[in-house]
Amino acid sequence: FLTTGHVFIEVYLEDRWYLVDSTYRFLFSGYNAALKSYPRREYLCVKGIDYWEMGFTEVATFIDVAGKLAMGFQEDMYKDPDYPQQKI
């Protein structure tokens, strides 16, 4: 089961997309939105505007949806994107 999680933010600045880790305050350039692999061995499970769009309307729903997503994770599909990063 999914025991931890992390949120990344996609932002468009000037002329390109970046990946932002607001928890650890990093900006990753060279971001490829088609990849499911994120820095520090994080892996994209679900993407959306907000929790409601992702189907998380209550705790029980989150446990059900997140559990199914976690069970579908295949570690051998993970490839470190090695994005250039800067501390913000």
Side-chain angles (χ1 to χ4, degrees):
F1 186 73
L2 186 65
T3 58
T4 62
H6 200 76
V7 174
F8 286 91
I9 303 167
E10 299 172 315
V11 295
Y12 192 80
L13 300 172
E14 298 175 0
D15 62 346
R16 68 178 109 147
W17 285 97
Y18 291 86
L19 187 66
V20 177
D21 182 337
S22 60
T23 302
Y24 298 111
R25 299 183 58 186
F26 279 100
L27 178 72
F28 298 95
S29 58
Y31 171 58
N32 180 349
L35 294 179
K36 287 192 169 198
S37 300
Y38 281 1
R40 288 190 294 284
R41 304 217 28 96
E42 299 285 352
Y43 190 81
L44 172 66
C45 289
V46 65
K47 187 186 285 192
I49 301 288
D50 57 32
Y51 292 109
W52 290 91
E53 182 183 353
M54 293 182 282
F56 304 147
T57 56
E58 56 189 43
V59 174
T61 305
F62 171 78
I63 291 170
D64 182 52
V65 172
K68 289 175 183 170
L69 291 168
M71 296 307 288
F73 174 72
Q74 297 174 7
E75 188 172 354
D76 60 332
M77 291 178 53
Y78 180 85
K79 303 281 189 269
D80 188 344
D82 198 28
Y83 296 136
Q85 63 182 351
Q86 69 183 67
K87 187 81 169 160
I88 51 175

